[in-house]
Amino acid sequence: MTQLAWQKSTYCAQGDSCVHVAATPGAVHLTESSDPTGSILTVTPTAFGSLLGALKVNTRPAGIQVTFTRGSDPDTPVRIQGSDARGTVVTTDRQKWDAFVLGVKAGEFDRFAEGLNDATTRQVALQHHCPA
């Protein structure tokens, strides 16, 4: 199994405990390192791109549901799941979600929506002994 290269927002001040994003061919993965369930939500780059676009203009994302529990406490839970509402749910808190959104607005995760870059594609091809 391939080891995922996770990235978190530079705005996250909680060490490794933040929303993390990684990519594999044709998929984008989201997780929260302190989520006790260890859930990993997998979506298409297109769905992830829709999430990024919505967050950049402060609108509700399509394709990925983000649910906020009532309250203004920084520890208030935020749940991220696919639009079908039956699949994996990643749970974070408001403070970590806000750090992720700041990173989104700064363009830190844009490359995941655009698909894998050439270097990553070559690396995957080499791992499978395929010509790049």
Side-chain angles (χ1 to χ4, degrees), residues 8 12-20 32-35 92 96:
K8 65 179 182 170
C12 185
Q14 289 80 27
D16 283 336
S17 181
C18 284
V19 176
H20 287 72
E32 212 285 27
S33 53
S34 66
D35 184 344
T92 188
K96 294 170 192 165

Side-chain angles (χ1 to χ4, degrees), residues 7 48 52 56 103-104 106-115:
Q7 176 183 326
F48 187 71
L52 298 183
K56 288 179 181 182
V104 167
E108 294 180 355
F109 302 99
D110 289 352
R111 68 184 183 91
F112 294 104
E114 296 163 358

